[in-house]
Amino acid sequence: MKRQLKRLGYSYDWDREIATCDPSYYRWEQWLFLRMLEHDLVYRRKSIVNYCESCQTVLANEQVVDGSCWRCGESVVQKEQEGWFFRITKYAPELLEWCDKLTGWPEKVITMQRNWIGYSEGARILFEVEGRDIVIGVFTTRPDTLHGATFLSLAPEHPLCLKLSRGTRQEAKVREFINKVLTQDWASRVGEDAEKEGVFTGAYCINPLTGRRLPIFVANFVLYEYGTGRLWRFLHMISAISCLPGNMASTSWS
Ligand SMILES: [Zn+2]
């Protein structure tokens, strides 16, 4: 790629190049990573990722076009994979506080930054599933509205969707709906004019406040990794550009 860029005659100052694939660069990246590991700022966990079987690589949401890989056109599958995560949520309140202290930035940029930090205060409410030994934890920023809750929705990626519908009359419908949503590209799922859709799983849970039965739905507008999904996308953006020369990488950041 560097050879190609040189042939194109761009006026880069190659003396100032930083190449992330160069050992003299990534040894410090690795050094820094180990310090973060020591301080419990990185951890491993499983997450659902977009995966292209033919390229054998994870794709960022932006690299999935109409359910297919941007590079080769193969259908993208959702795969559970173990990966490293930065515990940046630890700094969320501090980052948010500083958003208010920044002056001279357009409000649009500050809002984007706030959304990216994705910090929200709320409560985790536990719902028992009727007739089953299963409890569903739901995060909400509005626990005060619990009294009026009429249904509970799960993200299509949630393993409970299939488990709850198994053996009920809803099983086939749930399976079909999950496949449809998971092969949809991200933008059309979370975009502003995306249609909100859901399917009944066949199971009920109990409202802990009123004792009333609530039907459990699987719905496309519920995001499995609410709060951390953004972090995940951020990490894969890095992996997608880490082989480029430094100045190309910085172009992608701006
Ligand atoms: Zn591919």
Side-chain angles (χ1 to χ4, degrees):
M1 187 145 189
K2 185 174 170 180
R3 198 166 59 234
Q4 287 176 340
L5 286 170
K6 282 190 164 176
R7 286 178 66 190
L8 284 164
Y10 289 141
S11 55
Y12 287 130
D13 177 358
W14 292 100
D15 292 339
R16 297 169 65 186
E17 176 191 17
I18 297 164
T20 53
C21 55
D22 186 336
S24 69
Y25 177 92
Y26 66 67
R27 71 174 292 234
W28 293 111
E29 204 171 43
Q30 291 173 353
W31 179 87
L32 193 64
F33 182 86
L34 291 173
R35 298 295 88 74
M36 292 181 88
L37 188 65
E38 280 166 19
H39 288 88
D40 191 34
L41 289 171
V42 284
Y43 62 103
R44 271 177 92 77
R45 73 168 169 86
K46 282 190 175 154
S47 68
I48 306 271
V49 296
N50 301 313
Y51 194 79
C52 174
E53 298 279 6
S54 104
C55 296
Q56 301 202 338
T57 187
V58 170
L59 300 170
N61 295 325
E62 293 79 2
Q63 297 171 326
V64 181
V65 181
D66 293 330
S68 304
C69 169
W70 70 321
R71 202 178 290 120
C72 71
E74 180 96 0
S75 288
V76 172
V77 294
Q78 302 293 312
K79 191 172 168 180
E80 192 176 59
Q81 188 172 278
E82 189 140 306
W84 288 101
F85 288 80
F86 289 111
R87 216 182 283 285
I88 61 163
T89 44
K90 208 170 169 177
Y91 298 93
E94 197 180 332
L95 285 166
L96 211 55
E97 193 186 312
W98 271 91
C99 282
D100 298 329
K101 294 183 192 170
L102 294 172
T103 53
W105 285 83
E107 192 47 47
K108 206 177 103 188
V109 175
I110 300 281
T111 304
M112 270 161 64
Q113 192 62 24
R114 273 198 202 100
N115 291 342
W116 180 79
I117 295 165
Y119 182 77
S120 43
E121 283 188 12
R124 214 173 119 84
I125 297 169
L126 303 177
F127 293 82
E128 280 176 31
V129 177
E130 191 183 57
R132 306 261 203 129
D133 200 13
I134 301 171
V135 175
I136 302 174
V138 176
F139 177 82
T140 173
T141 54
R142 295 291 309 275
D144 54 311
T145 60
L146 177 62
H147 196 271
T150 52
F151 64 96
L152 184 148
S153 301
L154 295 170
E157 292 89 347
H158 203 296
L160 264 185
C161 298
L162 288 173
K163 196 172 170 183
L164 292 177
S165 63
R166 199 164 294 145
T168 73
R169 276 192 296 182
Q170 293 299 104
E171 188 173 354
K173 275 186 195 154
V174 168
R175 197 175 289 275
E176 193 184 313
F177 180 74
I178 290 173
N179 282 337
K180 190 184 94 176
V181 178
L182 295 191
T183 51
Q184 221 173 25
D185 72 276
W186 189 256
S188 62
R189 177 170 163 195
V190 301
E192 269 177 27
D193 38 47
E195 200 179 330
K196 287 183 166 54
E197 291 177 287
V199 163
F200 177 46
T201 59
Y204 292 86
C205 64
I206 307 297
N207 184 329
L209 210 59
T210 61
R212 219 185 299 152
R213 290 170 93 205
L214 299 178
I216 303 173
F217 278 76
V218 45
N220 64 349
F221 54 87
V222 185
L223 306 179
Y224 189 43
E225 302 197 50
Y226 178 64
T228 61
R230 289 188 187 92
L231 169 64
W232 170 79
R233 277 196 280 168
F234 173 69
L235 284 175
H236 289 290
M237 283 300 281
I238 296 180
S239 65
I241 59 169
S242 62
C243 308
L244 297 175
N247 40 11
M248 278 300 285
S250 63
T251 315
S252 309
W253 287 117
S254 58

